[in-house]
Amino acid sequence: MEIEKKTNTSVQQVKKPVHKRKSAKRREWENLGAGLLYLLPALLIVGVFLFYPMMKTLYYSFHVTNASGAVINFIGFEYYRTLFESSAFRTSMKATFLFALYTVPTTIIISLFLAVITNEKVKGVPFFRVVFSSTLGISVAAGATIWLLLFHPSLGVLNNMLNAFGLSGVQWLTSPNVALISVAITTIWMNIGFNFIVLLGGLQNISEELYESAKIDGAGYWRQLFNITIPLLSPTLFFVSVVTIINSFQTFGQVDILTGGGPANSTNLIVYSIFREAFYNGYFGYASAQAIILFVLVLIFTYIQFKVGEKKVHYQ
């Protein structure tokens, strides 16, 4: 009898933890179901407006379509092969990379300079903060139209200033050698507002005690800038660089208004090329293949930034 009692007790002890494990797993599944239920509206929106268009674009890139977008037949990787053999596509990619090279470092450097000087406690600084961030409230269409007037060959302010100094005017938007730079100048001006606000917010989060301690140790302004400000601002700089590079690959509005991809395709950035092939020429499959290549490029650049750049980020 004693042996049977001991056996029954040991069986109950074994069964009890198993039951507890089952109930814990059940609670985990219930919590997961409740979480997904709360996320369902957001998942539906993301699925309809993000994942479905991405899958549809990938599907179109392997098919020939008619002018209305209806699929005619499957051609596999033919569009991709044609793109890499196309001189027009190579010109578009070259223009896109040059545009990113012109805009990204310049925008970040100018925005950082403006944020640093307006972070000083000087009378009248709030006014300049409003001025430097004002481009954030200007739409792409309005900003591009403003610069379209400034770049005008005969009535534009820029050429009139050059003429006042005895210099000949520049064909800002009609010269293949200058047009891309002109679009880059417009883009830099329009992106400064956002980057300025983000960097200024990062600067204001740095503790003043660090600067006071550095002053006591005899550190000058430049030493404080490079040993305190820049390292502690590195998370914000990392964020700004990622966003700015992605935006540079997605530039469209200012190209459409200022140059229309010309002259001689010198400003035909890849996004504008996608738009023109799809909605002007009706080649939806060809445009979809370019969109997939652009997506892969942005993904690669973002991955490299996170893999390499994040190692140099210093978090407080």
Side-chain angles (χ1 to χ4, degrees):
M1 292 294 291
E2 290 181 359
I3 295 173
E4 290 179 358
K5 286 181 181 180
K6 289 180 179 180
T7 305
N8 292 334
T9 304
S10 61
V11 169
Q12 290 176 358
Q13 290 175 349
V14 171
K15 285 183 178 179
K16 196 171 182 180
V18 172
H19 177 69
K20 284 183 177 180
R21 285 198 298 271
K22 287 183 178 179
S23 62
K25 282 187 176 181
R26 185 176 178 180
R27 283 196 299 272
E28 288 178 2
W29 283 106
E30 289 176 352
N31 292 335
L32 178 62
L36 290 175
L37 189 63
Y38 284 116
L39 289 173
L40 184 60
L43 291 175
L44 286 174
I45 293 172
V46 171
V48 171
F49 293 102
L50 181 63
F51 293 117
Y52 174 74
M54 287 177 61
M55 293 299 104
K56 197 71 173 179
T57 302
L58 183 63
Y59 174 75
Y60 275 151
S61 69
F62 296 116
H63 294 81
V64 176
T65 63
N66 59 20
S68 62
V71 173
I72 298 175
N73 64 317
F74 175 80
I75 61 169
F77 290 92
E78 185 64 25
Y79 280 140
Y80 295 95
R81 186 184 65 80
T82 303
L83 280 172
F84 287 112
E85 292 176 355
S86 170
S87 60
F89 180 72
R90 288 195 295 269
T91 301
S92 178
M93 291 300 301
K94 179 183 177 182
T96 303
F97 285 123
L98 284 175
F99 180 79
L101 183 64
Y102 293 157
T103 57
V104 174
T106 310
T107 303
I108 294 175
I109 291 171
I110 294 176
S111 301
L112 178 60
F113 171 74
L114 296 177
V116 169
I117 63 175
T118 54
N119 193 44
E120 300 293 331
K121 295 179 180 179
V122 181
K123 188 177 180 180
V125 160
F127 169 77
F128 290 100
R129 289 177 181 174
V130 173
V131 171
F132 295 151
S133 61
S134 60
T135 58
L136 186 61
I138 300 175
S139 66
V140 174
T145 304
I146 292 171
W147 281 93
L148 183 63
L149 297 174
L150 294 176
F151 288 135
H152 195 278
S154 58
L155 303 177
V157 175
L158 297 178
N159 277 353
N160 286 332
M161 290 176 60
L162 292 175
N163 293 332
F165 288 99
L167 301 174
S168 59
V170 178
Q171 300 298 318
W172 296 99
L173 301 177
T174 56
S175 171
N177 298 324
V178 184
L180 186 63
I181 297 175
S182 302
V183 177
I185 292 171
T186 306
T187 306
I188 291 167
W189 178 79
M190 288 191 292
N191 290 341
I192 280 176
F194 172 78
N195 292 334
F196 167 77
I197 290 175
V198 174
L199 291 172
L200 182 61
L203 287 172
Q204 292 180 345
N205 283 329
I206 300 175
S207 176
E208 288 291 336
E209 296 177 357
L210 297 172
Y211 294 107
E212 292 173 0
S213 300
K215 288 178 182 178
I216 293 172
D217 292 337
Y221 177 81
W222 295 107
R223 189 174 178 185
Q224 293 178 38
L225 178 65
F226 289 104
N227 291 345
I228 298 176
T229 305
I230 301 298
L232 294 181
L233 194 63
S234 56
T236 309
L237 286 170
F238 176 71
F239 167 77
V240 165
S241 64
V242 171
V243 173
T244 307
I245 286 179
I246 293 174
N247 288 339
S248 69
F249 279 98
Q250 296 177 342
T251 300
F252 170 78
Q254 50 269 48
V255 175
D256 187 39
I257 294 173
L258 292 174
T259 62
N265 288 330
S266 60
T267 61
N268 188 29
L269 306 184
I270 187 168
V271 172
Y272 192 78
S273 176
I274 293 169
F275 167 77
R276 191 159 62 179
E277 292 293 342
F279 299 105
Y280 281 180
N281 302 329
Y283 301 141
F284 293 98
Y286 193 68
S288 297
Q290 292 186 65
I292 295 299
I293 293 174
L294 174 62
F295 170 76
V296 173
L297 283 174
V298 172
L299 190 66
I300 291 172
F301 274 94
T302 306
Y303 174 79
I304 291 173
Q305 282 184 286
F306 273 92
K307 198 71 176 177
V308 178
E310 198 172 18
K311 294 179 180 178
K312 300 180 180 179
V313 174
H314 301 277
Y315 295 98
Q316 289 182 346

